[in-house]
Short mmCIF file of all heavy atoms in Angstrom, two decimals:
data_model
loop_
_atom_site.label_atom_id
_atom_site.label_comp_id
_atom_site.label_asym_id
_atom_site.label_seq_id
_atom_site.Cartn_x
_atom_site.Cartn_y
_atom_site.Cartn_z
N ASP Y 27 6.74 33.63 -17.28
CA ASP Y 27 7.64 34.35 -16.37
C ASP Y 27 8.82 34.95 -17.11
O ASP Y 27 9.33 36.00 -16.71
CB ASP Y 27 8.19 33.41 -15.29
CG ASP Y 27 7.15 32.96 -14.29
OD1 ASP Y 27 6.03 33.49 -14.30
OD2 ASP Y 27 7.47 32.06 -13.49
N THR Y 28 9.26 34.29 -18.14
CA THR Y 28 10.47 34.73 -18.84
C THR Y 28 10.18 35.45 -20.15
O THR Y 28 11.10 35.81 -20.88
CB THR Y 28 11.38 33.51 -19.13
OG1 THR Y 28 10.63 32.54 -19.88
CG2 THR Y 28 11.87 32.88 -17.83
N ASP Y 29 8.91 35.68 -20.45
CA ASP Y 29 8.53 36.36 -21.70
C ASP Y 29 8.76 37.86 -21.58
O ASP Y 29 8.54 38.45 -20.53
CB ASP Y 29 7.06 36.07 -22.01
CG ASP Y 29 6.72 36.39 -23.46
OD1 ASP Y 29 6.71 37.59 -23.81
OD2 ASP Y 29 6.47 35.44 -24.22
N ASP Y 30 9.20 38.47 -22.66
CA ASP Y 30 9.45 39.92 -22.66
C ASP Y 30 8.18 40.74 -22.76
O ASP Y 30 8.18 41.93 -22.45
CB ASP Y 30 10.38 40.29 -23.84
CG ASP Y 30 11.78 39.76 -23.64
OD1 ASP Y 30 12.19 39.53 -22.49
OD2 ASP Y 30 12.49 39.56 -24.66
N ASP Y 31 7.09 40.13 -23.19
CA ASP Y 31 5.82 40.84 -23.35
C ASP Y 31 5.11 40.90 -21.99
O ASP Y 31 4.42 39.96 -21.59
CB ASP Y 31 4.96 40.12 -24.39
CG ASP Y 31 3.70 40.88 -24.74
OD1 ASP Y 31 3.36 41.85 -24.02
OD2 ASP Y 31 3.05 40.50 -25.73
N VAL Y 32 5.27 42.02 -21.30
CA VAL Y 32 4.72 42.17 -19.95
C VAL Y 32 3.19 42.16 -19.98
O VAL Y 32 2.56 41.62 -19.07
CB VAL Y 32 5.27 43.45 -19.28
CG1 VAL Y 32 4.65 43.66 -17.91
CG2 VAL Y 32 6.78 43.39 -19.18
N ALA Y 33 2.60 42.71 -21.02
CA ALA Y 33 1.14 42.71 -21.13
C ALA Y 33 0.61 41.28 -21.26
O ALA Y 33 -0.41 40.93 -20.64
CB ALA Y 33 0.69 43.56 -22.31
N LEU Y 34 1.29 40.45 -22.03
CA LEU Y 34 0.91 39.05 -22.17
C LEU Y 34 1.06 38.32 -20.83
O LEU Y 34 0.19 37.56 -20.42
CB LEU Y 34 1.76 38.37 -23.25
CG LEU Y 34 1.51 36.88 -23.48
CD1 LEU Y 34 0.12 36.68 -24.08
CD2 LEU Y 34 2.58 36.31 -24.41
N PHE Y 35 2.18 38.58 -20.15
CA PHE Y 35 2.44 38.01 -18.82
C PHE Y 35 1.30 38.37 -17.86
O PHE Y 35 0.74 37.51 -17.19
CB PHE Y 35 3.78 38.53 -18.30
CG PHE Y 35 3.99 38.36 -16.83
CD1 PHE Y 35 4.40 37.14 -16.31
CD2 PHE Y 35 3.76 39.42 -15.95
CE1 PHE Y 35 4.59 36.98 -14.94
CE2 PHE Y 35 3.95 39.25 -14.59
CZ PHE Y 35 4.37 38.03 -14.09
N ARG Y 36 0.96 39.66 -17.82
CA ARG Y 36 -0.10 40.13 -16.92
C ARG Y 36 -1.44 39.48 -17.27
O ARG Y 36 -2.17 39.01 -16.40
CB ARG Y 36 -0.22 41.65 -16.97
CG ARG Y 36 -1.21 42.20 -15.98
CD ARG Y 36 -1.45 43.71 -16.17
NE ARG Y 36 -2.46 44.15 -15.24
CZ ARG Y 36 -3.76 43.93 -15.39
NH1 ARG Y 36 -4.22 43.27 -16.43
NH2 ARG Y 36 -4.63 44.37 -14.48
N GLY Y 37 -1.77 39.45 -18.54
CA GLY Y 37 -3.04 38.86 -18.97
C GLY Y 37 -3.15 37.38 -18.60
O GLY Y 37 -4.19 36.92 -18.11
N TYR Y 38 -2.07 36.64 -18.82
CA TYR Y 38 -2.06 35.21 -18.48
C TYR Y 38 -2.29 35.00 -16.99
O TYR Y 38 -3.15 34.22 -16.58
CB TYR Y 38 -0.73 34.59 -18.91
CG TYR Y 38 -0.54 33.17 -18.40
CD1 TYR Y 38 -1.23 32.11 -18.97
CD2 TYR Y 38 0.32 32.90 -17.33
CE1 TYR Y 38 -1.07 30.81 -18.50
CE2 TYR Y 38 0.49 31.61 -16.86
CZ TYR Y 38 -0.20 30.57 -17.44
OH TYR Y 38 -0.04 29.29 -16.97
N TYR Y 39 -1.53 35.71 -16.16
CA TYR Y 39 -1.61 35.47 -14.73
C TYR Y 39 -2.91 36.00 -14.11
O TYR Y 39 -3.42 35.40 -13.17
CB TYR Y 39 -0.39 36.02 -14.00
CG TYR Y 39 0.73 35.04 -14.06
CD1 TYR Y 39 1.84 35.24 -14.87
CD2 TYR Y 39 0.67 33.87 -13.32
CE1 TYR Y 39 2.86 34.32 -14.93
CE2 TYR Y 39 1.69 32.93 -13.38
CZ TYR Y 39 2.78 33.17 -14.19
OH TYR Y 39 3.78 32.24 -14.25
N CYS Y 40 -3.43 37.10 -14.62
CA CYS Y 40 -4.70 37.59 -14.08
C CYS Y 40 -5.82 36.61 -14.41
O CYS Y 40 -6.70 36.35 -13.58
CB CYS Y 40 -5.00 38.99 -14.61
SG CYS Y 40 -3.88 40.25 -13.92
N LYS Y 41 -5.79 36.04 -15.61
CA LYS Y 41 -6.80 35.03 -15.97
C LYS Y 41 -6.59 33.76 -15.14
O LYS Y 41 -7.56 33.16 -14.67
CB LYS Y 41 -6.69 34.73 -17.48
CG LYS Y 41 -7.81 33.93 -18.01
CD LYS Y 41 -9.08 34.74 -17.93
CE LYS Y 41 -10.17 34.13 -18.76
NZ LYS Y 41 -11.46 34.76 -18.50
N LEU Y 42 -5.35 33.36 -14.96
CA LEU Y 42 -5.04 32.18 -14.16
C LEU Y 42 -5.48 32.38 -12.71
O LEU Y 42 -6.05 31.48 -12.08
CB LEU Y 42 -3.54 31.88 -14.23
CG LEU Y 42 -3.06 30.58 -13.62
CD1 LEU Y 42 -3.67 29.39 -14.34
CD2 LEU Y 42 -1.54 30.52 -13.71
N ASN Y 43 -5.24 33.57 -12.17
CA ASN Y 43 -5.64 33.88 -10.81
C ASN Y 43 -7.16 33.82 -10.65
O ASN Y 43 -7.67 33.30 -9.67
CB ASN Y 43 -5.12 35.27 -10.42
CG ASN Y 43 -5.29 35.56 -8.96
OD1 ASN Y 43 -4.96 34.73 -8.11
ND2 ASN Y 43 -5.81 36.73 -8.64
#
Side-chain angles (χ1 to χ4, degrees):
D27 291 351
T28 57
D29 196 291
D30 291 336
D31 187 348
V32 177
L34 178 68
F35 164 81
R36 185 187 177 284
Y38 170 75
Y39 277 107
C40 290
K41 192 66 166 170
L42 189 62
N43 190 47

